[in-house]
Each structure stands twice: as structure tokens, then as C-alpha cells.
Amino acid sequence: MASEDLAGQLPNLYIRQNSSNAVSLEFDPNVNYQFVEILDERYKCTRCHLVLHNPHQTGCGHRFCQYCIVSLRDLNTVSTCPIDNEIIKLQEVFKDNCCKREVLNLQVFCKNSPACAAKLCLGRYQTHEKVDCPNYPWICPYGCMQMILMKEAEDHVLVCPEMEIDCPYKMCGCPKRVKRSKLLEHEDIFLREHMLQIADKNTKLEDQISDLYNSLTYKERKILQLSDMIKNCEREFRQLSQLFCKNSNLLASTQTLAIHIDKNTFLETQLRQLVQKTNQQQSKLDLRTLLDTIDNLKQKVALLESYDQRLVVLEDLATQQDTVFRMHGTQLNKNEERFKILEGASYNGKLIWKIMDYKIKKKQAIEGHNLSLCSQPFYTSHCGYRLSARAYLNGDGSGRGTHVSMYFVVMRGEFDSLLSWPFKQKVTLMLLDQSGRKKHICETFKADPNSSSFKRPEGEMNVASGCPRFVAHSVLENAKNTYIRDDILFLKVMVDLTDLEEL
């Protein structure tokens, strides 16, 4: 009997598995593993004496691999335990998830040891071997069929004859991508086209060089003109300095004026008028008029500087106001999100979860962009447990690629210190039929008090628990069923509130 057949005979309570936030853990039972420490007897199958694979525990307390427990039943009309000869009652057999987690976390060496010095948990052995182990043998995916080691993959890509690369004449206009082994053949076949592309490219480059040369010549002329203008300005300033060198106070005032020339075009105009007036009256210099003009200019400069200082103060105030507005805006957005969550929350232990755009979200899950969806929180009462649901539209664990997986999550709440732990209530997961015939798909389980999934949360939420094979894609997407309508499906979670004390 296959493992799925056994699963069909056992209660739903023993089919569910714990989900993980990453890739589900699993290992191949047919591999001879080298454990870092001697394998403890409690992790060995009672029948085959190998490391337990999908362990099941009997009513007499002994553990078997799932395959071995099935084989025992097939070999005997009445299955008995080989240790104590107790009759194995099917209704007492359950899947030992606690033991399974411990087995999956046992440390083993990589099979490529000592070339690969990695030590890893048994549940991640296959992932390491195919993804992380540098000595894992890898067949080139580009088609050359050469067997190489994972650590040599990057170097192999640089020489693989089947790897498609750009034509060397791409910069000249050839758009072709060809296999490395066919590159010489491509160059021979397209020799004439490549020569024409090179000629066209050269013509364009010559035109660009001509344009650059003309532009350079024009800029050289402009530089010469500017150089002449600078020389004239320097000559005028030297003349001005010679005229004012006899009066130190006047020279200091002129230097102060020169510092502020670049600040205002108006001041530059005034200075040019002053230079013209000085040149015209070299023999009869009226110092009193000149000093009055400079004092007026100083007053104007001081006024402009005061405006600059006021402008800086106003800019600082505007920046502070912008910061305050952004803080208020952020807080308003947070409050709005919180109000939306509180509006949609239920406090009766029931969640109706509407998932829209099923096809798009499943495609995103298949492509690895968004593996799971999380529902809004719901509560067993206003001061009760805070809970939520998680769905993997492309499946998780044993349901990956074939099923929708659905899990139940215990989250950290405001009243956890007043509640009873661990969480012990019965939980029902449902896919709702939208035809009105109420042909809902249901899975019910009672929370395992020994599981870390139902203890008081230390982080934001516990590890989810539920059904990795909740509903098959073939059933969900069958046109004869009405679980999906207008690309929308509804999931429901119900918590049995019986015997649950209210605060």
C-alpha cells in the first residue's frame, strides 16, 4: 500500500504538517547518510533500523517509518509490533511530527566529504547537494552535456560551446546571437553584411569626428574672445588701483565693493559708471563725490545681505514645517491602515477570507515572486487569541505544484499574558462552495499542546500549522465545480470556542 493509501485510512488529524517560512524540509530514505554524531536509537525505525522517514507512532509507543508500518499491515492479517508483539490498532497510529522535526534537524556530512566540509541538517541535505555543494556534479544546461562540478559552473559558461553569445560585430549593428561553437561559421556566412556594417559605422564615426572638429574650432574662437575680454578687464582694474593707491581708506572701500560685484548685476553697472567717471576726471578727481557713491553702494549691499539672511531663516522654517507635515502624514497613513484592519476584524473565532485575482497570484507563486498570502487577523473574542491564516496557491511541502496549501497561525496579541497557553482549541479550515449547494471542502484538527505552533508566541507569530495538501488544483480549477467564480475564491477558518473561558 502506498503512503497516500495509508494517509487515506488515518484520521485527518495525522495528515497535516507544519509549514515553514522557507523551503519545506525532506530527505531521501534510500541514501546512506553519514551522521556527525552516532545516531540515537530513538531516531531509528523499529522494523528497518534505519533513520526514521515520516515517523509514525503506535499505541504501544514504538516508532516506525511510514513505509514500514504499511508493510507490516500488508504482510500480516493482524499487524503486531515486532518489539512487544502488541496488536497495532490503526486508529491508534498517528504521525509523529515532533519526532520528524527532530530527525530533520540531525546533523550530517555532505556526501562529497572531505572535498566538501559542510555540515548540515538532514532535512536540507538534498537542497545543499543540488544548490550549495561546490562538488555536486552538474550537467551543463546549455546542451553540451558535459558533466562538471558546481564550483566550476561560472568558468564553464565562459567556454561552453553551446552557450549563445553576441556576435563580435554587435557594436557595428549585427543583432545575431549564436552558439560559441557556431561563431566562426556565422562570421563566414555573414562576412559581406559585417563589412557593410563596419563601413557604415566608419562613415558615421567620420561624420561625428567632423562635427566635433567644427565644434572645437568654434569653441577655440570663443575662448580667444573671452581671453581678450579678461585682459581688458584686468587692465581697467590696474588703472583703477593706481588712481586710488594714495588713499588707503578709499582703496579698502573699493576692495569691499569688488567682493560684492558678483552678487548683483546692478552693482556691476554702478562700478562701470564709476570707472568711466574716474577715467574722465583723472586730473580733477572729486573724492567727495566718489566717496558718496561708494557709501550708497555699501548701504545697498548691506540691505541685500539682510534680505539674504531673512531668506535663509524663512527657508529653515519652511523645511521644519515640511518635516512636521510629513510626520503627520505618515501617522495618518498608519492610523488609516489600522482602522481598515480593525473594521474587517472579527471577534467570534471565525474568518471569511476573500482572495481576488486568483490566476495572477498563483502565477506569481509559481514564478517564486510571492509564495504565500496572509489573511487579516481575527480573534476568538475582543480580549482573546489573535489568529490568522496563510495560503500557498502553488502549494507548500508535499503539496507544492499540485495543491493549494492552507495553514492556521497563532499570532502575538495584546492580551496574551491573560490567556491560557498552549492554545488547545479545535480548528476547521474550509474552502467555500459558491454555488449555494454548500459542497464545502473541510479539514478539522485539534491543536497539539506539545507543538511549538500553539505555545505563547515569542515573536510576531508562531510557525504555521495546517494542511499542505488542502485541495488539489485539479479539483479547485475544475469547470464543473464552483469554488472559483469571477477569479475569486473564499476560504474560511472556524475556531471551536467550546470550553474557552472569556476574560
Side-chain angles (χ1 to χ4, degrees), residues 13 29 49 126 156 176-177 194 217 224 256 262 279 359:
L13 176 62
H49 304 294
Q126 296 178 122
H156 175 74
K176 302 289 186 181
R177 285 180 60 84
H194 289 163
T217 302
L224 290 174
T256 302
D262 293 334
N279 289 335
K359 292 180 181 177

Side-chain angles (χ1 to χ4, degrees), residues 126-192:
Q126 296 178 122
T127 302
H128 164 78
E129 184 181 28
K130 296 179 180 178
V131 178
D132 301 320
C133 180
N135 290 283
Y136 180 74
W138 182 69
I139 299 177
C140 173
Y142 298 108
C144 74
M145 303 306 294
Q146 183 176 345
M147 182 71 72
I148 58 177
L149 299 181
M150 186 69 73
K151 62 185 179 183
E152 300 170 350
E154 291 186 4
D155 294 335
H156 175 74
V157 168
L158 300 177
V159 297
C160 176
E162 295 298 308
M163 177 72 178
E164 284 194 352
I165 59 175
D166 289 326
C167 172
Y169 297 95
K170 179 181 179 180
M171 295 300 295
C172 296
C174 181
K176 302 289 186 181
R177 285 180 60 84
V178 294
K179 294 181 179 179
R180 187 176 278 111
S181 61
K182 301 290 186 181
L183 186 58
L184 292 177
E185 179 182 343
H186 166 75
E187 290 179 348
D188 290 340
I189 294 174
F190 290 90
L191 177 61
R192 183 174 181 277

Side-chain angles (χ1 to χ4, degrees), residues 240 243-244 250 253-254 257 267-281 285-286 289-294 297:
L240 182 63
L243 290 174
F244 297 154
L250 185 60
S253 300
T254 305
L257 179 62
L267 299 181
E268 292 178 352
T269 304
Q270 294 293 320
L271 182 59
R272 284 196 298 271
Q273 293 175 356
L274 180 61
V275 172
Q276 292 173 0
K277 183 176 181 180
T278 303
N279 289 335
Q280 294 171 358
Q281 299 179 355
L285 182 62
D286 187 356
T289 303
L290 185 60
L291 287 173
D292 291 342
T293 303
I294 292 175
L297 291 175

Side-chain angles (χ1 to χ4, degrees), residues 56-68:
H56 285 67
Q57 189 174 150
T58 62
C60 60
H62 296 108
R63 296 187 177 97
F64 296 82
C65 297
Q66 181 171 296
Y67 176 80
C68 291

Side-chain angles (χ1 to χ4, degrees), residues 60 94 161 187 320 422 496:
C60 60
F94 66 93
E187 290 179 348
Q320 294 175 9
D496 188 354

Side-chain angles (χ1 to χ4, degrees), residues 252-446:
S253 300
T254 305
Q255 291 173 342
T256 302
L257 179 62
I259 292 173
H260 295 283
I261 287 176
D262 293 334
K263 292 185 177 180
N264 198 284
T265 305
F266 175 77
L267 299 181
E268 292 178 352
T269 304
Q270 294 293 320
L271 182 59
R272 284 196 298 271
Q273 293 175 356
L274 180 61
V275 172
Q276 292 173 0
K277 183 176 181 180
T278 303
N279 289 335
Q280 294 171 358
Q281 299 179 355
Q282 291 183 10
S283 59
K284 299 178 181 180
L285 182 62
D286 187 356
L287 295 179
R288 188 178 305 155
T289 303
L290 185 60
L291 287 173
D292 291 342
T293 303
I294 292 175
D295 287 339
N296 290 334
L297 291 175
K298 283 184 178 180
Q299 292 175 6
K300 292 177 181 178
V301 170
L303 182 61
L304 289 174
E305 288 179 343
S306 68
Y307 286 157
D308 287 342
Q309 293 174 356
R310 293 177 184 177
L311 182 60
V312 170
V313 172
L314 290 174
E315 288 178 346
D316 289 341
L317 289 174
T319 301
Q320 294 175 9
Q321 290 295 327
D322 286 342
T323 302
V324 172
F325 287 147
R326 283 196 296 271
M327 291 174 60
H328 285 311
T330 301
Q331 187 61 46
L332 286 173
N333 290 336
K334 290 181 179 179
N335 290 341
E336 185 176 354
E337 291 178 2
R338 180 172 177 82
F339 290 150
K340 287 181 179 179
I341 292 174
L342 291 175
E343 278 183 351
S346 68
Y347 297 90
N348 59 359
K350 296 180 181 180
L351 167 70
I352 302 295
W353 183 12
K354 180 180 182 181
I355 298 180
M356 305 175 67
D357 302 322
Y358 167 78
K359 292 180 181 177
I360 294 176
K361 291 176 180 176
K362 180 185 175 185
K363 183 175 182 293
Q364 292 174 346
I366 292 173
E367 295 173 349
H369 299 313
N370 192 10
L371 298 178
S372 65
L373 304 175
C374 297
S375 74
Q376 68 271 27
F378 67 105
Y379 304 82
T380 55
S381 66
H382 281 279
C383 301
Y385 296 96
R386 184 170 178 245
L387 312 166
S388 68
R390 183 182 300 157
Y392 291 75
L393 298 187
N394 192 43
D396 174 58
S398 60
R400 183 180 296 277
T402 59
H403 289 69
V404 170
S405 304
M406 186 174 178
Y407 296 106
F408 174 76
V409 184
V410 177
M411 306 181 71
R412 183 165 58 191
E414 298 180 23
F415 305 99
D416 287 353
S417 61
L418 305 177
L419 301 174
S420 176
W421 298 99
F423 181 86
K424 299 178 182 179
Q425 305 306 118
K426 185 169 68 174
V427 178
T428 300
L429 307 177
M430 300 179 65
L431 170 64
L432 300 182
D433 177 19
Q434 300 185 50
S435 68
R437 297 192 298 270
K438 297 185 178 181
K439 293 184 178 181
H440 311 313
I441 294 178
C442 303
E443 290 287 350
T444 301
F445 65 89
K446 186 175 178 62

